[in-house]
Amino acid sequence: MFPNRRECQNPIATPSDSLWLGFTQMGDHESLSIASGEGCWLTTTDGQRLFDGVSSLWCNLHGHRHPRLDAAIRAQLDRVAHVTTLGMSGETTQQFAAALVAKCPGALAHAFFSSDGASAVEAAIKMALQYWRQCDRPRPGKTRYLALGRAYHGDTTGGVSLGGIDYFHEIFSPLLFKPLRGPLPCSFRMPAGVTSSQAGEYYAGEIEVLLQEHHDSLAAIVMEPLVQGAAGMITHPVGFLGRVRELCDRYDVLLVCDEVATGFGRTGEMFACDHESVTPDILCLGKGITGGYLPMAATIATSTVYEAFLGQSHERRQFFHGHTYGGNPLAAAVAIASLELFDELDDHDDDLLTRVRTNGTHLRRRLSELAERPGVADLRGRGLMLAMELAAPTRSLQPLNPEFDRAQRVCRACLGRGLWIRPLGNVLVIMPPLIASRDELDWVVDVVAESLGEVDAL
Ligand code: PMP
């Protein structure tokens, strides 16, 4: 057993354990305390400047302390900080709902708000089940879900049930419902004999086999479209998402897309679904929804789904779900300001999505110079959601943990040079704020290159 923190002699352990950090081993955690931020940069309590290379866990879009976002919150504070969305709502929240659904694909038209990505997924799971009880042709037997291989949908019990990352999820199995497990539709390690142009069809074929057998009991397929973030930035083959949409229609199963990580411009389109012109029945959003400022998430339904919940109060058809802070007006105010920034043009007449595409291409090209090195297994991602998978060490390291150690060492070396990135297992995640400049992106690549060199030279 690891010793209790109070007995732990580790000299680099955090001096204070009153704050318990998520997904962090508190017993050997190196204290890193942030005092302030500006643009893509954070300043530690000790005065070190750090580039926020993972956008404060994938949510910051426009940088820290953006004047427009700060002002939106201040202005809302002069009106009201919080009102509920149970039975009433604030006008700022109403305005945001309208602005948000206007950006969403197709017939997605009704936004249900909560506070975190995991809650958005929980709401989607329950919405899908209740939909099948109450739709025109009720199918109360549809109570199961299909999730992809290595799925990650947050840390609440429903999200963990859908999850397929044993390292995180296995321990909680006594608490969980069991989904049907689909393939991991990986575009870079494919089954023998399958080419990249066949891969989308191949994995969709595997989904279809499951649907043929289980469609009667399936409420929904829940999936991250295009890129499975926490799985290790696993990119899907082109065409897979579109084929899943067709299959859901054919087998009468709802499609729930979890865009908590991919939404709000990350992949170079507003939503990853837009790359394949797909409209899910339910869309889950979080993280970047407020530009990375305040907790907010949304579960957005098509009119078909929404209308199954309409009726008279005594009929008890309302959605039996609600969160105290869902739709908080301060969060809604900053979320409106964040959406507005997507519509603005820079000096070259480019909007933010155009810049994500061009800067994403540039960053990827620069990182591909490093991908030639021994010890780099793969470079992948979309837009400004990139990752570099590391292979076995080139020289004989004595890793503390053979599975994760090299990426952690590289991240630690980056930190020494002023770049904050956090690995996913053996994958280096590079997800800067969407506004990062070319110079900053070039600097990030230089730091990663030097850090890889430093670790390999050990
Ligand atoms: N879904 C996906 C795809 C995610 O990446 C995450 C968070 N990384 C979540 C859900 C959960 O979001 P939150 O941490 O805000 O609960």
Side-chain angles (χ1 to χ4, degrees):
M1 279 284 280
F2 199 88
N4 181 297
R5 256 290 294 124
R6 292 184 194 286
E7 299 156 22
C8 173
Q9 298 304 307
N10 187 336
I12 60 167
T14 176
S16 161
D17 56 9
S18 52
L19 178 59
W20 190 347
L21 308 182
F23 284 105
T24 303
Q25 176 43 259
M26 298 303 290
D28 63 4
H29 161 63
E30 259 178 280
S31 178
L32 184 59
S33 162
I34 303 302
S36 63
E38 183 143 24
C40 296
W41 295 82
L42 302 167
T43 303
T44 68
T45 309
D46 302 335
Q48 191 193 0
R49 265 165 56 83
L50 297 177
F51 184 87
D52 187 357
V54 286
S55 300
S56 292
L57 240 294
W58 314 356
C59 67
N60 191 288
L61 309 182
H62 313 287
H64 300 276
R65 286 184 59 208
H66 191 288
R68 292 270 296 281
L69 303 188
D70 291 6
I73 295 177
R74 290 199 179 99
Q76 181 62 39
L77 262 182
D78 286 337
R79 299 167 70 191
V80 62
H82 181 63
V83 292
T84 184
T85 45
L86 274 61
M88 63 180 283
S89 59
E91 61 185 24
T92 309
T93 309
Q94 294 162 19
Q95 282 161 13
F96 177 52
L100 179 60
V101 299
K103 294 271 185 211
C104 285
L108 289 162
H110 309 276
F112 180 92
F113 290 118
S114 53
S115 310
D116 297 284
S119 307
V121 174
E122 296 288 334
I125 293 170
K126 290 171 70 180
M127 205 179 267
L129 185 135
Q130 199 177 333
Y131 166 80
W132 286 114
R133 298 275 164 118
Q134 299 178 181
C135 61
D136 285 348
R137 292 175 298 109
R139 309 273 300 276
K142 282 167 133 351
T143 57
R144 298 191 70 196
Y145 301 84
L146 190 156
L148 297 181
R150 286 183 67 79
Y152 179 83
H153 297 289
D155 299 326
T156 49
T157 312
V160 173
S161 294
L162 297 171
I165 304 180
D166 286 349
Y167 182 70
F168 302 155
H169 298 143
E170 178 64 32
I171 189 170
F172 299 111
S173 57
L175 294 176
L176 309 177
F177 65 77
K178 282 213 175 336
L180 276 178
R181 186 63 63 198
L184 173 67
C186 182
S187 66
F188 49 93
R189 276 188 206 113
M190 283 162 313
V194 178
T195 64
S196 55
S197 60
Q198 297 164 336
E201 194 56 44
Y202 176 87
Y203 294 121
E206 294 195 330
I207 301 263
E208 181 158 19
V209 169
L210 290 169
L211 289 180
Q212 276 165 348
E213 191 177 345
H214 299 283
H215 65 96
D216 276 339
S217 64
L218 271 179
I221 294 182
V222 184
M223 61 181 277
E224 281 186 90
L226 243 64
V227 186
Q228 288 181 237
M233 298 295 157
I234 306 294
T235 47
H236 294 174
V238 175
F240 174 71
L241 175 62
R243 286 286 290 120
V244 173
R245 175 68 273 181
E246 285 167 22
L247 291 171
C248 284
D249 289 341
R250 189 178 322 152
Y251 289 92
D252 222 6
V253 168
L254 296 181
L255 176 61
V256 175
C257 283
D258 175 354
E259 293 227 31
V260 170
T262 53
F264 297 100
R266 249 312 135 193
T267 65
E269 294 286 350
M270 196 61 174
F271 300 107
C273 286
D274 294 331
H275 287 275
E276 301 205 2
S277 303
V278 159
T279 303
D281 300 287
I282 301 176
L283 176 67
C284 302
L285 301 173
K287 289 196 186 280
I289 191 167
T290 60
Y293 262 56
L294 286 173
M296 182 179 237
T299 306
I300 307 185
T302 60
S303 296
T304 306
V305 170
Y306 176 75
E307 282 162 15
F309 292 75
L310 300 182
Q312 301 297 311
S313 291
H314 66 85
E315 293 178 83
R316 299 194 177 184
R317 293 167 70 89
Q318 66 268 39
F319 186 31
F320 288 108
H321 192 97
H323 293 282
T324 304
Y325 281 103
N328 170 265
L330 290 172
V334 71
I336 291 171
S338 172
L339 280 189
E340 286 169 0
L341 291 175
F342 277 90
D343 293 329
E344 294 189 358
L345 302 180
D346 66 10
D347 298 343
H348 305 283
D349 275 352
D350 288 335
D351 64 12
L352 184 57
L353 291 180
T354 307
R355 290 206 301 281
V356 172
R357 288 193 281 269
T358 52
N359 282 346
T361 305
H362 176 77
L363 179 60
R364 197 187 171 106
R365 192 180 320 115
R366 287 287 334 272
L367 284 169
S368 67
E369 294 161 17
L370 315 187
E372 304 301 317
R373 290 170 178 239
V376 176
D378 190 44
L379 170 66
R380 55 180 178 260
R382 300 291 288 257
L384 284 173
M385 188 173 187
L386 296 177
M388 193 180 276
E389 181 173 323
L390 303 185
T394 48
R395 302 189 190 187
S396 59
L397 289 172
Q398 294 294 316
L400 302 170
N401 175 337
E403 204 181 345
F404 301 135
D405 188 59
R406 185 156 175 254
Q408 268 178 4
R409 285 181 191 221
V410 173
C411 289
R412 195 177 290 202
C414 287
L415 191 59
R417 293 174 167 80
L419 169 63
W420 162 244
I421 51 173
R422 185 173 155 82
L424 282 167
N426 59 340
V427 174
L428 296 179
V429 174
I430 304 183
M431 271 174 84
L434 303 188
I435 51 116
S437 69
R438 281 283 170 103
D439 285 350
E440 286 171 326
L441 297 176
D442 284 333
W443 176 86
V444 166
V445 177
D446 293 344
V447 168
V448 172
E450 286 166 21
S451 303
L452 276 168
E454 178 187 318
V455 169
D456 285 347
L458 288 176

